[in-house]
Amino acid sequence: MSERFTLALPSKGRIMDAAGAAFRERGLVIEKDGDERGYTGSVVGVPEIEVTFASASEIANQLRRGTVHMAITGEDLVREAMPDADERVDFIAPLGFGHARVVVAVPDCWLDVRRSADLEDVAEAFRRRHGRRMRVATKFTNLTRRFFAGHGITSYRIVESLGATEGTPAAGVAELIVDITSSGATLRANGLRILDDGEILESEANLITSRAADWSPSMNAIRNDIIARFDP
């Protein structure tokens, strides 16, 4: 079987449509195989490229493993999946959609907690009063640990969030959260406030290549052609 260049794109929603439009605007038209809900596709007129559709988070893991050559997904998901992302992948081009910030947010009633430095004091007081560590609800466990370690915050435990993270403090599941936000409106509606220095990462969709993939001369040629099309 001849070599195939594997391109991974998000499988649903506006980010899938935007990713397809980004390639179409650069002369590469992507079509799904069979049903529109399918998970494979192709680039019209370029049989050397196979397209796979997956969740944005799974794409980050595919890049880490090197099972795809190139992909579009959010920088936040890549850096969550790979602490050493800059050594494992190449961020080729930010694409101007899928914008989100990963932030630390606390209850608005915590009037004396404005910055990350305040959290360790609060965490210690919380532990003395309640006999347990302060809980942080998040889907971004690795980004949270790295950010908290960098700010000297140690007295906490992570509660992995499987649903609407912003609702966990009101539900009594956690004391604060790390989550993505665009405008901050949903956080405010849930009585939460972003710390003044609580932005962990400003993210958007990126065109990314995996250093772990099999880069033969023919695969590199396809890579270089696509990158040239995205070069501003």
Side-chain angles (χ1 to χ4, degrees):
M1 181 180 293
S2 60
E3 292 181 300
R4 301 291 295 278
F5 183 98
T6 305
L7 170 67
L9 298 179
S11 59
K12 61 183 179 179
R14 288 179 293 179
I15 192 168
M16 180 186 73
D17 296 336
F23 274 91
R24 187 168 58 250
E25 290 164 3
R26 292 161 176 86
L28 297 172
V29 178
I30 294 169
E31 293 184 339
K32 280 196 171 184
D33 296 336
D35 192 280
E36 277 299 308
R37 290 174 293 183
Y39 293 97
T40 61
S42 60
V43 178
V44 175
V46 191
E48 298 83 6
I49 300 178
E50 63 180 3
V51 182
T52 65
F53 295 88
S55 69
S57 57
E58 174 56 23
I59 289 173
N61 287 314
Q62 292 172 336
L63 287 165
R64 177 177 56 82
R65 296 191 300 264
T67 55
V68 300
H69 293 88
M70 179 179 284
I72 288 179
T73 193
E75 183 180 355
D76 56 332
L77 298 172
V78 173
R79 295 196 181 280
E80 169 65 19
M82 305 175 224
D84 53 350
D86 291 318
E87 298 174 11
R88 289 179 174 267
V89 301
D90 291 309
F91 293 92
I92 303 301
L95 299 175
F97 59 86
H99 290 279
R101 294 180 296 151
V102 182
V103 300
V104 182
V106 301
D108 202 38
C109 60
W110 289 16
L111 301 179
D112 294 333
V113 181
R114 311 302 304 187
R115 300 179 62 82
S116 299
D118 301 323
L119 277 180
E120 184 66 10
D121 292 338
V122 169
E124 288 299 330
F126 184 92
R127 189 167 188 169
R128 288 194 300 270
R129 178 177 299 177
H130 299 282
R132 59 179 175 84
R133 289 175 292 171
M134 185 173 65
R135 298 166 298 176
V136 183
T138 187
K139 298 178 179 72
F140 297 93
T141 58
N142 293 323
L143 285 173
T144 299
R145 289 190 180 103
R146 294 198 292 273
F147 182 83
F148 278 30
H151 287 77
I153 303 165
T154 59
S155 187
Y156 71 96
R157 70 180 179 91
I158 286 178
V159 177
E160 291 196 51
S161 172
L162 301 177
T165 305
E166 65 274 5
T168 55
V173 176
E175 281 65 56
L176 67 153
I177 71 169
V178 171
D179 200 12
I180 56 171
T181 185
S182 296
S183 66
T186 303
L187 296 177
R188 290 191 292 273
N190 284 274
L192 300 172
R193 166 175 43 83
I194 301 170
L195 293 179
D196 292 346
D197 60 346
E199 183 172 286
I200 296 176
L201 176 67
E202 186 171 357
S203 176
E204 65 182 287
N206 270 253
L207 181 68
I208 305 168
T209 58
S210 171
R211 296 187 186 182
D214 181 15
W215 290 105
S216 67
S218 59
M219 299 299 97
N220 269 312
I222 296 172
R223 173 189 185 273
N224 293 340
D225 175 67
I226 295 175
I227 289 175
R229 293 170 184 259
F230 280 82
D231 190 345

